Amino acid sequence: MVFIVIRPLFYIASVMLLLIVPMKVSGLEQRCNDKAETSTPTERFIKNNDGLLFDKATRLEWQTCVSGRTGIRCQYGTVRYFTWWEAMMEPSEFNTKNDGYSDWRLPDIKELYSIIETACEEPSLNQTIFPNHPLLPAVSKSWSSTPSRSNMGRAWQIEFQNGLLYSLGNNERLTVRLVRTCDDICQQAYD
């Protein structure tokens, strides 16, 4: 009984604090543990001039920017957000408009997790390799192609603000970063 009364009071107090305490979004800066080993060292990746990069460890080719952003530092355009179903269709749309390869896809959760920088947060990405990823918790998540095994109305995603992965409802709107398996011809372009 006490919990039923106290919980709404905590909620009201939290909302009031959010309204009273000034917050500055631009003040979010990446924090890294300098004593921790980096999981995505810059030398592991090779960038090209097309907004793509090659991961030498996984042999995957990634889009440098999330969908909607372009430029060397992903500074142009507007981030696009997708439901999981829309995210699953995005590679088909990209492949028809793309001048190069037609095998781009939404990464599975293991592939997406392979680009997490475990020594950092806000974002938990190597910013030299993956610049300007949206930061706030509501917008820093990216879909994977991996559905939840326990609930087909959910799929796995990564929260790039802090590197956590968990399943969310398929109707949530998240970012997308496409990937492709880099075949021999692709790998030669990076050698």
Side-chain angles (χ1 to χ4, degrees):
M1 179 68 177
V2 173
F3 180 72
I4 294 172
V5 174
I6 293 177
R7 186 174 179 188
L9 292 175
F10 279 126
Y11 177 76
I12 292 169
S14 298
V15 171
M16 289 176 61
L17 278 173
L18 286 173
L19 295 174
I20 296 170
V21 177
M23 287 192 274
K24 187 175 175 185
V25 171
S26 61
L28 292 177
E29 291 186 24
Q30 187 176 47
R31 294 185 311 265
C32 297
N33 180 346
D34 295 334
K35 294 182 169 109
E37 184 177 340
T38 59
S39 57
T40 58
T42 301
E43 58 274 3
R44 179 178 130 184
F45 298 89
I46 301 171
K47 280 189 166 188
N48 72 17
N49 294 331
D50 296 335
L52 306 175
L53 56 93
F54 176 62
D55 182 341
K56 294 185 279 187
T58 62
R59 312 308 278 176
L60 294 172
E61 187 173 37
W62 290 92
Q63 289 180 321
T64 304
C65 307
V66 294
S67 290
R69 289 258 176 105
T70 60
I72 293 172
R73 302 279 315 142
C74 303
Q75 72 272 33
Y76 303 116
T78 303
V79 176
R80 295 176 58 210
Y81 297 97
F82 304 84
T83 66
W84 186 69
W85 301 109
E86 293 167 344
M88 293 297 286
M89 297 303 299
E90 176 62 7
S92 295
E93 186 177 320
F94 180 79
N95 286 330
T96 59
K97 295 177 183 176
N98 182 13
D99 292 339
Y101 297 98
S102 60
D103 57 349
W104 289 95
R105 59 187 164 72
L106 197 61
D108 65 36
I109 194 63
K110 289 179 183 177
E111 291 168 332
L112 195 56
Y113 191 76
S114 75
I115 64 172
I116 287 287
E117 177 48 64
T118 56
C120 300
E121 62 181 3
E122 295 183 0
S124 55
L125 286 166
N126 179 329
Q127 288 190 300
T128 302
I129 303 302
F130 299 105
N132 285 325
H133 188 88
L135 259 189
L136 295 177
V139 296
S140 67
K141 301 173 180 101
S142 288
W143 283 120
S144 79
S145 63
T146 309
S148 169
R149 288 185 189 197
S150 62
N151 182 342
M152 291 310 290
R154 300 175 74 82
W156 287 93
Q157 61 78 46
I158 290 188
E159 166 70 68
F160 281 105
Q161 183 179 18
N162 52 28
L164 297 177
L165 58 149
Y166 48 91
S167 66
L168 278 178
N170 293 345
N171 291 326
E172 298 287 329
R173 299 190 73 76
L174 310 180
T175 64
V176 165
R177 186 185 310 271
L178 300 181
V179 69
R180 65 182 289 270
T181 302
C182 201
D183 59 20
D184 291 340
I185 295 170
C186 168
Q187 291 178 33
Q188 288 173 7
Y190 288 103
D191 289 337

